[in-house]
Amino acid sequence: MLVLPDEMTHAQAPACCRMLAQALRSDPSTHAVADASALVRFDSSVLAVLLDCRREALALGKTFSVSQLPPKLRELATLYGVSELLPPAALPH
């Protein structure tokens, strides 16, 4: 599970991208899940980070989804036309 921080703006995005890419490369699982539940303060930069994670995951042969995307961020993703690239993670049974 890739855990996003509580704040993600343009200032934090590059470091977060590097950290998440490293986590993806070191995780042997075939499915990457980004946990967005902690996000409180964010701008559209988080979409770029999530899309970068998705790109990295797919390059590693993994599937990608996002858990608990805040409603405002889902709205941003829809506005930018990328919501279908950030599918919600399946809920555990």
Side-chain angles (χ1 to χ4, degrees):
M1 176 98 39
L2 306 167
V3 180
L4 299 179
D6 64 341
E7 182 174 344
M8 173 80 64
T9 61
H10 181 72
Q12 294 92 6
C16 193
C17 271
R18 287 189 299 274
M19 177 193 70
L20 293 173
Q22 183 178 15
L24 275 169
R25 288 189 292 268
S26 65
D27 183 1
S29 68
T30 59
H31 183 70
V33 178
D35 179 0
S37 64
L39 279 173
V40 179
R41 292 174 304 282
F42 56 86
D43 62 19
S44 61
S45 298
V46 73
L47 292 176
V49 169
L50 288 170
L51 292 172
D52 191 62
C53 283
R54 178 184 181 274
R55 192 171 24 258
E56 182 76 23
L58 294 178
L60 294 168
K62 301 177 185 217
T63 57
F64 180 78
S65 62
V66 182
S67 171
Q68 301 184 51
L69 198 64
K72 290 286 186 193
L73 190 52
R74 177 65 61 196
E75 289 174 21
L76 270 179
T78 300
L79 178 68
Y80 284 101
V82 297
S83 60
E84 69 280 353
L85 300 176
L86 305 172
L91 296 173
H93 299 295

